[in-house]
Amino acid sequence: MDMMNRKQIDGQRQMDFAAKFNYVREAGTPGEEKAAKFIRKELESFGADSREETFTFEAFKMKKASLAVLEPYEKEYAVTGYARCGSTPEEGIEAPFLYIENGDDISLSYAKDKIAMVNAPVRKDMYEKLAGAGAAGFVSIAGTPLDEGEDLIPRAYNLPKSIEAPIQGVSIHYKDAAEMVTKGASRAKLIVSQEKEERTSRNVIARIGGTDKAEEILTLTAHFDSVKEGPGAYDNMAACAIIMELCRFFKANRPRRTMEFIWFGAEEKGLLGSQNYVKVHEKELAHHQFNMNVDLAGQLVGGNVIGVTGAASICEMLTYLAHEIGIGMITTNSIWGSDSNTFAWKGVPAMTLNRDGFGMHTRHDTVDLLSPWSLERSAVLLGHIAERLANIEVMPFTKKIPEEFCRQLDEYFNS
Ligand SMILES: [Zn+2]
């Protein structure tokens, strides 16, 4: 992208686009579906054809979650149930209550047949430890002592898919957890009731056919779903705006290689959109050369990191290109917790452009914190990288994914 082309990238236009999506877009909800329609409408406005690829996923509807202290005082606390951990008997589980802090082995050895409370969200390892210790149920602590009002509603968590779920659990707010321990809660009743349901999510895809190297494919990707806690402007509508701006650019400046722009659904549910994409397009993956993903972008206070899951030489190449355009960034050669991982897992070298910032996965992640200045710079940086790779005679790096990353990716996707 030279100085002339750079003028075709407009931060304010990106900002205006992102501002249209200041609502929650949790995967499988009407918010996500509405956002997909708006993305397609924007593509249509500059003559880019698009398609939608839908897929279904398993979700859990929480019917009831409650935690009541029975002794030495009686009080019911506001809690949120853990999804994917099954249901207690209808009347609930009554058991002694015990706070086991970080769930160290000493504390855990006292958890048998008790409702055990731990500090951090319960993930796979801690869940297995709690179940292994014979806990009757679990409570995890969320939030901070500074929270007020709606922030006192404890966060929701999911257990990972691969888990057998013999015990149930809930999330409680920090302040309530502190009260329970301070007042010496010693006996409690836990109720969790949930139902499986199938939901539909979708990817929006726009392809710009290449000229003389059309059989080689580059992807520019960003997820457009949000978590249910907030409207996900920084995570990740800003990135959606960046690749939309680049789609507009390449529509007007046709590349030699084919460029596929993908707005993924259900990333926040475990990279489901990208996993559906590589499944549906499995036969075509041999033609894919590089995935350029963007996840977390658009805030002013922050810096750019490009996580490269592929040969280390790609980091050097990207650094060289960033020097050419004069926009700051650093690289990390590692796997990355975003849709780029899915491509790398399937043998396509991939990167995620990431900008650190404030408020991810909270209600504070709104468009108010986005900046046209930041959006424009990121789009120019990524646009420069994409334009060079789209038009270069031969792709300047090996497609081979280092063994160590393959191992880590297998573990990532299989746990
Ligand atoms: Zn994200």
Side-chain angles (χ1 to χ4, degrees), residues 85-93 136 167-169 190-194:
C85 71
S87 299
T88 59
E90 210 174 319
E91 68 281 10
I93 294 166
I167 58 171
Q168 290 75 47
L190 175 73
I191 303 176
V192 177
S193 168
Q194 60 189 311

Side-chain angles (χ1 to χ4, degrees), residues 124-136:
K124 187 171 197 272
D125 286 358
M126 184 49 61
Y127 186 82
E128 281 168 353
K129 280 188 182 181
L130 285 160

Side-chain angles (χ1 to χ4, degrees), residues 278-292:
V278 297
K279 205 162 82 191
V280 171
H281 300 275
E282 199 182 349
K283 288 205 183 92
E284 214 176 46
L285 289 179
H287 299 284
H288 280 248
Q289 306 298 314
F290 194 43
N291 166 242
M292 289 163 272

